[in-house]
Amino acid sequence: MSGPLKCIFSLQKCLQTFATLRCLLPSVYISTRECKWSGVNLCPAFRIATFPGPTHSFSTDISKNDTCAVLQSQDEKNSDSDEDNTAQDEDILVSVITKGKQLSSSEWEKIKDQVLAKNRGINGSNIDAITIGLCGRFMQLDMGLSYLEHLSLSGKKLNIATIAQVMRMCYSCRLKGIDEQFILSMYENLHSRCPVLDGYTAESAILGLCLTRHWKVGLDLLDMAKLTCIPGGMEYNVLVKTAYDNNEPNISLRLINEMLQLGRSIRPEVFHAQLDYCNRMSAGEKVERWKMVEEILSMFVEHDLKPTVDVAERIRVWYLEAADPHTEVQAQLSSVTDGGICKSCQKYLNPITITKEEFGALQSAFMDKVVVGADIFRKSTPEEIKEFKNFVKMTAPYDMVIDGLNIAFTAGPKKALSSQALARTLHHVVKYFVMKSKKVLILGRKHMQTWSPCYMDYIYRNAHVFLADNLSQDDPLLLYAALYSGMGTKFLSRDLMRGHAYRLENKSLRSTFKLWQLQHQCQLKYVTQAGKVHLKFPLTFNPMAQVSRDGSWHIPYEMEFVGSPSQSFEAPTTWLCLRSGKSSPSLSQVRHKKISRMS
Amino acid sequence: MPQDNDSTTEQNSTENSDFTSITNSDPVLEKKLKILFLEVEVLRQSGYRVPDSVKLGQWKELLEMETRSRRRKYLSYLFGVEKKQENRKKKKDEAKQKREDAMNTAPENTHIRYGLGHNTILIRVYDNTINHFYHSRLIQAMQFSQKLVIDCSYDSHMTSREAQNCGKQLMLMFSDNRIHDNPFDLYLCNARRESNTIKQLVKCIPTIYDLDFPINITEKSYLDLFPKENIVYLTPHCREDLREFDHDAIYIIGAMVDKGNNEPLSLAKAKREGLKMAKLPLDRYLMWGSGGSKSLTLNQMMQILLDIRATGSWDKALQHVPRRKIITTPELQEQCSKKVERPKRQLRYTIKDTSKYC
């Protein structure tokens, strides 16, 4: 290699490992002197100590396993603006910690002085917590412990935040093995100084305590945290997992109900812990074990949960193991067609069921909360509401309620359409339904009276039409009319109606509304000029976890843990199908009834 | 100083102010407040941006916030405010030091001192003189000019941040009004003293409730003060454009910052009270660009109304709409090339990028 090239290569290497080789400073100087004649300006390299990428999103460095995901949720809570200043200062610390070499007390002292000398966001009172926090993020347990040693040697008392970060670090490095006494002593220290903890400290303490035998104290800490904040998903998940590992299912179930109420999502580790618990309790007895797993599956059905693919795989294997040797059972990861047929067992999935009481509650609440809302004038006027109520009473029930404006604008962008094109689109859609002898109600606005008469005439003659004021919102009226007509009526609109769902503040009402919407909302795909209409009909089957009458389970699963509940109207495509097939009569259990299966 | 941190966390905070005023001796709230002290301390120790001292009113706000992220964001804002004040003080001290140094080194001139702050041939005009001039014109306007009503009843629909912003906009509106050649006679109706908007306005203009201050603030509604036939409520949610400015009508603007709330509150109010409604003809005269919403601040509205009253020309009046909201020529060319056909029914002006002609 020629001289200059060699220099540049070594220089590149130096630039990359610059921060980590600070102790080799003299050698870097040497290489700069060598390369000075090549004209490369090296000065900027000395001043900056920043990595090219952002330092607080460590996703590229850390492998995505569950331990670091625990901390990433801590990261998610940090907004960018909070960590901007300190992120740059942390570079020195980050580089030191990622190296992984344990440092002596004096070396730590030097590094601390370097960081403090920069005097940006880090000062004497927060450097300890930040350092330990970084050790936790990078899972460098030994470095963290050596830093603590340094602190104790220098006689500095640990502040609250540092202790909390220590406990967090212990949790994230739990696979490396932590001394239980250490955590308990830390907690004692914390508890004696602050009998009542705030949300952040309580979270960290819960994480730490769940590694020890005093994990139940974590439950009290959870209640303490509730005083000032809504506890995050991480604590709940960790507590539930620990409760299962310690064979306390009642506590787990209570916590699961709580966290689902608060909208926190359950992580796959919890399901794995649940399955392990079932395994332990049944002591290897397969059938017993399956009975317990069925309780878990009922929980999926009740709360509309979706496991990840690894959990689904375990359940599948256990189902096969638990089967009676004489019954033929099938357990497969399959998918579901649009019509609702499971590809592996060729059977229809359950339809969506809404009980009469739920529907009645939704009907009565809808007028109050959504149409009227806080102020009736925001959506409409009192006279119009009265007129509409009378109209609906007289002409209900309908087969189809159509959002006139929404449908008419399907033909193209708003500004490019003439009123004739709009009227024509609407006319085609109405004709489609009238040809099938359906009773149709169309909701529109008063300015539609000016639309092209030849098409509108047909509409006025063959369907019911209600035109609201130009200033009123017509969506709540549409939904009211559809609800009033009962369970047989569908409605047609491309609007997702999310704002209206939000107004029903009650959680059960919202889920009823969502189910009703899934079952009753048609969407218009396209309308050609000639009159061809293509509709997307609503789902005929229930897209949630379900058990059918003959005892077969269909559980939708996802490939990766997503965390937020699904907002889309698309049904899940990956399903786990568990069922029993044709069996010899005498030995089959009561639940596995005989089912005819297509070959 | 670790020792200090510990003492603040465990016992009462170092501030000696009386916290019963914000907790009303409710034990639950007191406990929550103590936990919040600890939380602020922990955040400070963890490296989050937290102010060094939190005042009593700010504790009250923190106490009302339910979620941790909200408190954190508020503390980060307070940190920014504190740092700004510190920096400003530092700069002031430096400037003072410089001035003193300059004074000490200036040559001693015993008989006269030339300069703008000292002896000049120019008459020194103080701010107060100008204020008196504006106010005298405003008092004339209050006697003879057209009335404009600002409806301040939307305080309950705004967050405290929005209400403070609204108060500041009211102050700017007042100042734009008094500077203009033909000011309006301003009425602030439904202006409750305890509302956040008015509190912020009083902060900006402390003398606003003085008897000789040229503005009308009242807690009464405009329906009690003016006849219904003359009132026109300006709201962006209705359909009719304001074609011509009517010099006999009494226009009402709603004092509302509705960045968070999308509901047609002003429309609902006008409907309920059965008033005539109108909106500014923005679509007719301007081409809206992709950036920026169609909401205008109160002082922009005031400038537009003042100009349309004075000139009768919408083009001149709508020049007060910020340029960034209007479409620029490159963007327009892009749009034209995308669309096949543009209906040229309405006369539209585009405001070219005039920066290069300055």
Side-chain angles (χ1 to χ4, degrees):
Chain A
M1 238 189 278
S2 58
L5 265 176
K6 197 178 185 180
C7 275
I8 290 171
F9 275 131
S10 64
L11 198 61
Q12 289 274 22
K13 233 191 194 172
C14 279
L15 280 175
Q16 279 168 14
T17 58
F18 168 68
T20 60
L21 292 172
R22 276 193 82 88
C23 46
L24 300 173
L25 216 51
S27 66
V28 180
Y29 274 122
I30 292 167
S31 61
T32 52
R33 260 182 260 134
E34 276 175 12
C35 294
K36 237 178 196 159
W37 55 268
S38 71
V40 176
N41 186 8
L42 297 168
C43 288
F46 285 130
R47 268 186 295 224
I48 51 170
T50 51
F51 287 109
T55 49
H56 53 268
S57 63
F58 302 105
S59 48
T60 48
D61 295 345
I62 311 176
S63 58
K64 275 210 188 257
N65 55 35
D66 55 326
T67 50
C68 74
V70 154
L71 289 165
Q72 275 190 347
S73 58
Q74 183 190 10
D75 285 343
E76 282 153 26
K77 287 183 200 152
N78 299 338
S79 66
D80 278 338
S81 59
D82 272 352
E83 293 280 293
D84 249 348
N85 264 342
T86 47
Q88 285 168 346
D89 308 335
E90 286 170 1
D91 292 335
I92 303 177
L93 288 173
V94 163
S95 52
V96 166
I97 290 169
T98 41
K99 222 179 34 149
K101 190 179 89 154
Q102 281 206 29
L103 300 171
S104 72
S105 184
S106 53
E107 286 172 331
W108 274 120
E109 194 64 44
K110 264 195 291 180
I111 293 177
K112 267 174 74 172
D113 289 335
Q114 265 172 14
V115 175
L116 289 175
K118 269 178 124 181
N119 197 21
R120 288 281 297 280
I122 307 189
N123 53 40
S125 59
N126 61 20
I127 186 168
D128 301 330
I130 292 180
T131 318
I132 306 276
L134 285 174
C135 293
R137 268 192 217 164
F138 288 112
M139 295 191 282
Q140 300 280 10
L141 180 63
D142 305 319
M143 295 207 81
L145 293 174
S146 77
Y147 186 79
L148 284 176
E149 240 183 75
H150 155 71
L151 283 181
S152 63
L153 280 178
S154 60
K156 202 173 169 194
K157 201 170 166 200
L158 298 178
N159 58 29
I160 306 284
T162 318
I163 302 179
Q165 288 294 343
V166 168
M167 299 185 85
R168 264 211 140 94
M169 176 180 71
C170 291
Y171 179 76
S172 64
C173 304
R174 63 187 180 279
L175 296 173
K176 298 196 182 170
I178 313 281
D179 182 18
E180 203 179 283
Q181 265 315 108
F182 174 67
I183 299 181
L184 287 174
S185 67
M186 289 264 119
Y187 178 69
E188 273 311 310
N189 190 355
L190 188 65
H191 189 68
S192 58
R193 283 153 69 167
C194 289
V196 184
L197 296 175
D198 67 291
Y200 297 98
T201 325
E203 267 185 25
S204 313
I206 291 174
L207 290 182
L209 284 174
C210 281
L211 298 173
T212 70
R213 59 177 179 273
H214 291 295
W215 62 275
K216 279 202 180 152
V217 180
L219 296 170
D220 301 328
L221 288 177
L222 191 70
D223 290 331
M224 209 189 290
K226 282 191 209 159
L227 287 173
T228 50
C229 68
I230 304 171
M234 185 164 39
E235 297 78 71
Y236 274 114
N237 276 306
V238 168
L239 274 174
V240 172
K241 180 169 186 291
T242 324
Y244 270 122
D245 290 339
N246 288 306
N247 304 330
E248 299 256 10
N250 301 328
I251 299 181
S252 311
L253 288 173
R254 179 174 62 89
L255 287 175
I256 286 180
N257 277 329
E258 254 181 53
M259 73 189 273
L260 288 173
Q261 283 281 20
L262 291 174
R264 307 283 179 225
S265 46
I266 306 184
R267 298 190 64 97
E269 297 87 62
V270 169
F271 293 134
H272 281 298
Q274 255 182 321
L275 292 174
D276 290 333
Y277 169 74
C278 294
N279 206 4
R280 278 198 306 273
M281 283 298 112
S282 56
E285 234 307 279
K286 311 282 185 204
V287 177
E288 273 295 314
R289 184 176 67 176
W290 179 250
K291 282 217 186 86
M292 300 178 79
V293 173
E294 283 204 331
E295 283 171 16
I296 302 179
L297 293 181
S298 330
M299 188 181 71
F300 282 8
V301 173
E302 199 187 316
H303 295 287
D304 187 17
L305 302 171
K306 278 209 286 198
T308 47
V309 63
D310 40 346
V311 176
E313 184 59 33
R314 267 181 98 173
I315 296 176
R316 187 184 78 86
V317 169
W318 287 12
Y319 182 73
L320 287 173
E321 289 177 1
D324 207 350
H326 295 275
T327 57
E328 214 178 297
V329 292
Q330 285 284 334
Q332 276 169 21
L333 303 175
S334 87
S335 63
V336 171
T337 64
D338 287 337
I341 302 181
C342 169
K343 285 213 175 114
S344 82
C345 66
Q346 310 295 332
K347 296 203 80 85
Y348 282 101
L349 293 182
N350 293 351
I352 301 177
T353 50
I354 304 178
T355 63
K356 275 208 163 76
E357 299 86 32
E358 287 175 350
F359 190 66
L362 183 63
Q363 270 184 324
S364 48
F366 197 81
M367 181 41 100
D368 287 326
K369 292 218 175 124
V370 182
V371 184
V372 175
D375 180 7
I376 191 166
F377 282 98
R378 290 186 204 174
K379 297 255 170 70
S380 174
T381 60
E383 295 85 28
E384 191 178 56
I385 300 285
K386 212 162 68 167
E387 210 185 302
F388 184 67
K389 271 185 173 163
N390 285 335
F391 178 83
V392 171
K393 216 183 285 183
M394 282 197 299
T395 51
Y398 312 100
D399 291 317
M400 177 62 77
V401 184
I402 299 183
D403 185 350
L405 284 167
N406 193 294
I407 295 306
F409 283 115
T410 324
K414 219 172 182 177
K415 298 222 170 121
L417 287 177
S418 65
S419 70
Q420 195 189 29
L422 298 168
R424 186 175 52 213
T425 320
L426 195 55
H427 161 262
H428 289 325
V429 174
V430 172
K431 193 164 179 183
Y432 175 84
F433 286 111
V434 166
M435 289 298 163
K436 304 196 167 157
S437 358
K438 303 273 188 198
K439 190 170 167 197
V440 181
L441 167 67
I442 301 185
L443 280 160
R445 293 219 181 123
K446 289 218 157 73
H447 68 83
M448 285 162 70
Q449 288 165 336
T450 58
W451 285 5
S452 138
C454 59
Y455 293 118
M456 296 308 283
D457 249 353
Y458 177 89
I459 296 174
Y460 288 136
R461 269 185 283 123
N462 291 300
H464 299 282
V465 181
F466 185 85
L467 299 177
D469 274 337
N470 286 338
L471 295 173
S472 313
Q473 277 192 23
D474 52 353
D475 282 343
L477 299 177
L478 166 87
L479 294 171
Y480 174 74
L483 280 173
Y484 186 91
S485 312
M487 293 288 285
T489 314
K490 297 197 169 38
F491 66 97
L492 179 61
S493 169
R494 287 208 296 193
D495 195 341
L496 291 177
M497 310 287 177
R498 277 180 291 207
H500 306 294
Y502 177 72
R503 286 210 186 275
L504 297 161
E505 283 128 29
N506 192 340
K507 198 161 193 253
S508 69
L509 278 178
R510 259 190 231 168
S511 56
T512 319
F513 178 78
K514 198 165 167 228
L515 280 178
W516 176 80
Q517 195 183 1
L518 278 175
Q519 207 182 10
H520 289 91
Q521 179 169 12
C522 306
Q523 291 183 330
L524 186 63
K525 284 289 176 188
Y526 62 81
V527 179
T528 61
Q529 275 203 12
K532 184 154 178 247
V533 175
H534 184 87
L535 286 175
K536 176 169 176 277
F537 282 96
L539 287 176
T540 47
F541 62 95
N542 192 344
M544 307 193 291
Q546 54 194 263
V547 56
S548 66
R549 247 178 320 168
D550 51 12
S552 56
W553 294 90
H554 287 91
I555 317 274
Y557 64 87
E558 48 194 6
M559 297 309 296
E560 267 185 13
F561 175 64
V562 165
S564 54
S566 60
Q567 299 277 358
S568 70
F569 281 83
E570 303 298 323
T573 45
T574 46
W575 292 73
L576 172 65
C577 169
L578 306 169
R579 75 207 178 282
S580 66
K582 249 189 191 146
S583 54
S584 54
S586 51
L587 296 172
S588 63
Q589 292 174 351
V590 176
R591 210 182 268 125
H592 299 296
K593 291 197 212 118
K594 283 185 243 180
I595 310 164
S596 63
R597 204 161 58 92
M598 285 165 63
S599 53
Chain B
M1 299 174 277
Q3 292 89 3
D4 273 352
N5 291 341
D6 295 347
S7 61
T8 50
T9 54
E10 286 124 59
Q11 286 88 41
N12 293 327
S13 77
T14 47
E15 302 162 37
N16 293 325
S17 23
D18 182 19
F19 286 103
T20 53
S21 54
I22 43 176
T23 59
N24 295 326
S25 308
D26 179 6
V28 172
L29 281 179
E30 276 180 9
K31 189 168 187 196
K32 190 172 175 189
L33 189 63
K34 290 211 172 69
I35 302 179
L36 285 187
F37 289 158
L38 178 61
E39 187 176 283
V40 169
E41 195 51 50
V42 166
L43 282 175
R44 192 175 297 135
Q45 289 169 3
S46 306
Y48 284 91
R49 299 207 272 198
V50 164
D52 287 328
S53 71
V54 182
K55 301 195 192 68
L56 189 65
Q58 292 161 353
W59 281 122
K60 182 164 188 206
E61 284 247 21
L62 280 171
L63 204 58
E64 284 168 15
M65 293 177 184
E66 287 297 326
T67 62
R68 281 181 289 178
S69 64
R70 227 181 131 188
R71 290 197 285 259
R72 228 180 26 230
K73 283 187 188 156
Y74 184 60
L75 287 168
S76 162
Y77 161 73
L78 292 178
F79 174 82
V81 166
E82 199 187 56
K83 285 293 166 226
K84 253 196 249 178
Q85 277 180 350
E86 274 178 23
N87 287 342
R88 227 184 300 157
K89 191 163 185 301
K90 235 196 282 177
K91 279 204 187 124
K92 220 173 149 183
D93 289 337
E94 281 172 13
K96 188 174 173 187
Q97 192 62 34
K98 264 202 207 144
R99 246 184 302 131
E100 280 181 11
D101 293 340
M103 268 176 59
N104 291 337
T105 56
E108 286 301 319
N109 194 347
T110 47
H111 67 287
I112 199 167
R113 200 184 178 119
Y114 285 110
L116 271 180
H118 311 288
N119 297 79
T120 62
I121 61 168
L122 304 170
I123 298 176
R124 184 160 182 175
V125 181
Y126 290 89
D127 282 339
N128 254 337
T129 321
I130 302 292
N131 278 347
H132 283 313
F133 165 64
Y134 286 144
H135 286 192
S136 71
R137 220 179 31 187
L138 267 182
I139 290 175
Q140 248 195 337
M142 284 171 77
Q143 293 170 303
F144 305 113
S145 177
Q146 187 179 359
K147 301 190 195 331
L148 181 71
V149 175
I150 315 292
D151 180 10
C152 306
S153 60
Y154 297 100
D155 199 67
S156 48
H157 302 288
M158 296 193 278
T159 65
S160 70
R161 222 197 258 181
E162 289 174 339
Q164 283 175 6
N165 208 340
C166 190
K168 198 164 174 209
Q169 280 181 21
L170 285 176
M171 185 262 297
L172 291 172
M173 200 176 64
F174 173 76
S175 94
D176 282 334
N177 187 36
R178 77 176 183 175
I179 287 178
H180 199 263
D181 290 335
N182 294 319
F184 278 114
D185 177 15
L186 270 185
Y187 272 84
L188 262 63
C189 290
N190 295 318
R192 281 175 38 247
R193 265 190 131 127
E194 317 83 50
S195 62
N196 281 333
T197 330
I198 301 301
K199 273 203 259 184
Q200 180 67 20
L201 182 60
V202 170
K203 236 185 182 180
C204 294
I205 311 177
T207 53
I208 200 164
Y209 276 106
D210 284 356
L211 289 170
D212 53 356
F213 196 83
I215 197 172
N216 303 299
I217 300 190
T218 167
E219 297 206 3
K220 291 197 223 161
S221 162
Y222 42 85
L223 296 172
D224 305 328
L225 297 169
F226 307 111
K228 232 184 191 182
E229 312 83 57
N230 293 347
I231 297 182
V232 178
Y233 209 114
L234 293 175
T235 165
H237 305 283
C238 73
R239 299 248 165 172
E240 295 95 34
D241 278 350
L242 187 64
R243 294 299 184 91
E244 271 180 11
F245 188 81
D246 184 2
H247 294 264
D248 296 319
I250 298 172
Y251 288 100
I252 305 184
I253 306 177
M256 186 177 20
V257 172
D258 58 354
K259 293 196 88 171
N261 200 348
N262 288 329
E263 293 188 313
L265 297 169
S266 49
L267 179 73
K269 189 150 197 262
K271 259 203 265 184
R272 181 188 295 116
E273 293 165 353
L275 301 168
K276 273 187 289 212
M277 297 179 278
K279 69 172 180 175
L280 292 181
L282 298 171
D283 283 329
R284 185 181 292 272
Y285 289 94
L286 295 173
M287 266 178 46
W288 226 260
S290 55
S293 63
K294 284 203 185 156
S295 39
L296 297 171
T297 67
L298 288 175
N299 57 318
Q300 285 162 11
M301 276 298 291
M302 172 61 87
Q303 284 168 337
I304 293 173
L305 287 176
L306 282 166
D307 273 348
I308 187 69
R309 176 170 171 245
T311 61
S313 146
W314 281 109
D315 296 316
K316 285 232 177 61
L318 290 177
Q319 278 180 5
H320 292 287
V321 174
R323 291 303 97 183
R324 64 177 185 275
K325 300 195 189 218
I326 312 293
I327 204 168
T328 52
T329 340
E331 216 178 294
L332 177 59
Q333 282 168 353
E334 201 187 299
Q335 267 191 18
C336 278
S337 61
K338 275 190 193 161
K339 286 190 185 163
V340 177
E341 179 223 357
R342 284 180 46 84
K344 289 210 182 352
R345 275 182 244 127
Q346 293 171 4
L347 192 62
R348 285 178 177 168
Y349 296 127
T350 57
I351 313 294
K352 290 214 177 89
D353 185 2
T354 56
S355 57
K356 51 184 192 274
Y357 302 120
C358 292

Short mmCIF file of all heavy atoms in Angstrom, two decimals, chain B residues 306-324:
data_model
loop_
_atom_site.label_atom_id
_atom_site.label_comp_id
_atom_site.label_asym_id
_atom_site.label_seq_id
_atom_site.Cartn_x
_atom_site.Cartn_y
_atom_site.Cartn_z
N LEU B 306 -60.16 46.90 9.63
CA LEU B 306 -59.85 48.32 9.60
C LEU B 306 -59.62 48.78 8.17
O LEU B 306 -60.08 49.83 7.75
CB LEU B 306 -58.59 48.59 10.44
CG LEU B 306 -58.77 48.63 11.95
CD1 LEU B 306 -57.43 48.57 12.63
CD2 LEU B 306 -59.52 49.88 12.36
N ASP B 307 -58.89 47.95 7.41
CA ASP B 307 -58.58 48.37 6.05
C ASP B 307 -59.78 48.32 5.13
O ASP B 307 -59.94 49.18 4.26
CB ASP B 307 -57.45 47.49 5.49
CG ASP B 307 -56.10 48.05 5.85
OD1 ASP B 307 -56.07 49.20 6.33
OD2 ASP B 307 -55.10 47.35 5.66
N ILE B 308 -60.61 47.31 5.30
CA ILE B 308 -61.78 47.25 4.41
C ILE B 308 -62.72 48.39 4.72
O ILE B 308 -63.38 48.94 3.82
CB ILE B 308 -62.48 45.87 4.50
CG1 ILE B 308 -63.57 45.75 3.46
CG2 ILE B 308 -63.08 45.63 5.84
CD1 ILE B 308 -63.08 45.68 2.08
N ARG B 309 -62.74 48.79 5.97
CA ARG B 309 -63.59 49.92 6.32
C ARG B 309 -63.03 51.20 5.73
O ARG B 309 -63.77 52.03 5.22
CB ARG B 309 -63.66 50.03 7.84
CG ARG B 309 -64.44 51.20 8.32
CD ARG B 309 -64.63 51.06 9.80
NE ARG B 309 -65.19 52.29 10.34
CZ ARG B 309 -64.55 53.05 11.20
NH1 ARG B 309 -63.36 52.74 11.61
NH2 ARG B 309 -65.14 54.15 11.64
N ALA B 310 -61.73 51.31 5.76
CA ALA B 310 -61.12 52.56 5.30
C ALA B 310 -61.09 52.63 3.78
O ALA B 310 -61.30 53.70 3.21
CB ALA B 310 -59.71 52.67 5.85
N THR B 311 -60.80 51.52 3.11
CA THR B 311 -60.60 51.60 1.66
C THR B 311 -61.73 50.98 0.86
O THR B 311 -61.91 51.32 -0.30
CB THR B 311 -59.31 50.88 1.25
OG1 THR B 311 -59.46 49.50 1.62
CG2 THR B 311 -58.12 51.46 1.95
N GLY B 312 -62.46 50.03 1.43
CA GLY B 312 -63.50 49.36 0.65
C GLY B 312 -62.97 48.39 -0.37
O GLY B 312 -63.72 47.82 -1.14
N SER B 313 -61.67 48.16 -0.36
CA SER B 313 -61.11 47.24 -1.36
C SER B 313 -60.59 46.01 -0.66
O SER B 313 -59.75 46.08 0.22
CB SER B 313 -59.96 47.97 -2.08
OG SER B 313 -58.95 47.06 -2.42
N TRP B 314 -61.11 44.84 -1.06
CA TRP B 314 -60.70 43.59 -0.40
C TRP B 314 -59.26 43.26 -0.71
O TRP B 314 -58.56 42.65 0.10
CB TRP B 314 -61.61 42.44 -0.83
CG TRP B 314 -62.92 42.43 -0.12
CD1 TRP B 314 -64.13 42.72 -0.65
CD2 TRP B 314 -63.14 42.15 1.25
NE1 TRP B 314 -65.10 42.63 0.29
CE2 TRP B 314 -64.51 42.28 1.49
CE3 TRP B 314 -62.31 41.80 2.32
CZ2 TRP B 314 -65.08 42.07 2.73
CZ3 TRP B 314 -62.88 41.60 3.56
CH2 TRP B 314 -64.26 41.73 3.77
N ASP B 315 -58.79 43.66 -1.85
CA ASP B 315 -57.41 43.32 -2.18
C ASP B 315 -56.45 43.96 -1.21
O ASP B 315 -55.52 43.34 -0.72
CB ASP B 315 -57.09 43.77 -3.60
CG ASP B 315 -57.93 43.05 -4.61
OD1 ASP B 315 -58.05 41.83 -4.46
OD2 ASP B 315 -58.47 43.70 -5.51
N LYS B 316 -56.71 45.24 -0.93
CA LYS B 316 -55.83 45.92 0.02
C LYS B 316 -55.98 45.32 1.41
O LYS B 316 -55.02 45.13 2.13
CB LYS B 316 -56.19 47.41 0.10
CG LYS B 316 -55.74 48.22 -1.06
CD LYS B 316 -54.96 49.46 -0.59
CE LYS B 316 -54.44 50.24 -1.77
NZ LYS B 316 -55.51 50.73 -2.65
N ALA B 317 -57.23 45.04 1.75
CA ALA B 317 -57.46 44.57 3.13
C ALA B 317 -56.83 43.20 3.34
O ALA B 317 -56.22 42.94 4.38
CB ALA B 317 -58.96 44.49 3.39
N LEU B 318 -56.95 42.32 2.33
CA LEU B 318 -56.47 40.96 2.54
C LEU B 318 -54.97 40.85 2.40
O LEU B 318 -54.42 39.75 2.44
CB LEU B 318 -57.19 40.00 1.59
CG LEU B 318 -58.66 39.82 1.93
CD1 LEU B 318 -59.34 38.93 0.93
CD2 LEU B 318 -58.81 39.22 3.32
N GLN B 319 -54.29 41.98 2.21
CA GLN B 319 -52.83 41.91 2.23
C GLN B 319 -52.31 41.60 3.62
O GLN B 319 -51.14 41.28 3.78
CB GLN B 319 -52.24 43.23 1.74
CG GLN B 319 -52.21 43.29 0.25
CD GLN B 319 -51.64 44.58 -0.24
OE1 GLN B 319 -51.18 45.40 0.54
NE2 GLN B 319 -51.66 44.75 -1.53
N HIS B 320 -53.18 41.72 4.62
CA HIS B 320 -52.73 41.43 5.98
C HIS B 320 -52.72 39.96 6.31
O HIS B 320 -52.29 39.57 7.39
CB HIS B 320 -53.63 42.17 6.99
CG HIS B 320 -53.46 43.64 6.93
ND1 HIS B 320 -52.35 44.28 7.41
CD2 HIS B 320 -54.26 44.61 6.40
CE1 HIS B 320 -52.45 45.57 7.22
NE2 HIS B 320 -53.60 45.81 6.61
N VAL B 321 -53.21 39.14 5.37
CA VAL B 321 -53.11 37.69 5.60
C VAL B 321 -51.65 37.30 5.39
O VAL B 321 -51.05 37.71 4.41
CB VAL B 321 -54.02 36.94 4.60
CG1 VAL B 321 -53.83 35.46 4.72
CG2 VAL B 321 -55.46 37.31 4.84
N PRO B 322 -51.05 36.53 6.27
CA PRO B 322 -49.62 36.23 6.15
C PRO B 322 -49.26 35.59 4.82
O PRO B 322 -49.98 34.73 4.34
CB PRO B 322 -49.34 35.26 7.30
CG PRO B 322 -50.46 35.41 8.22
CD PRO B 322 -51.63 35.93 7.48
N ARG B 323 -48.14 36.01 4.25
CA ARG B 323 -47.74 35.54 2.94
C ARG B 323 -47.50 34.04 2.91
O ARG B 323 -47.68 33.40 1.88
CB ARG B 323 -46.43 36.23 2.48
CG ARG B 323 -46.51 37.70 2.16
CD ARG B 323 -47.50 37.97 1.12
NE ARG B 323 -48.69 38.38 1.81
CZ ARG B 323 -49.83 38.67 1.30
NH1 ARG B 323 -50.00 38.60 0.06
NH2 ARG B 323 -50.86 39.01 2.02
N ARG B 324 -47.10 33.48 4.02
CA ARG B 324 -46.72 32.07 3.98
C ARG B 324 -47.91 31.17 3.70
O ARG B 324 -47.76 30.03 3.31
CB ARG B 324 -46.08 31.67 5.30
CG ARG B 324 -47.01 31.78 6.46
CD ARG B 324 -46.37 31.29 7.75
NE ARG B 324 -47.35 31.32 8.81
CZ ARG B 324 -47.63 32.38 9.54
NH1 ARG B 324 -46.99 33.50 9.32
NH2 ARG B 324 -48.54 32.32 10.48
#
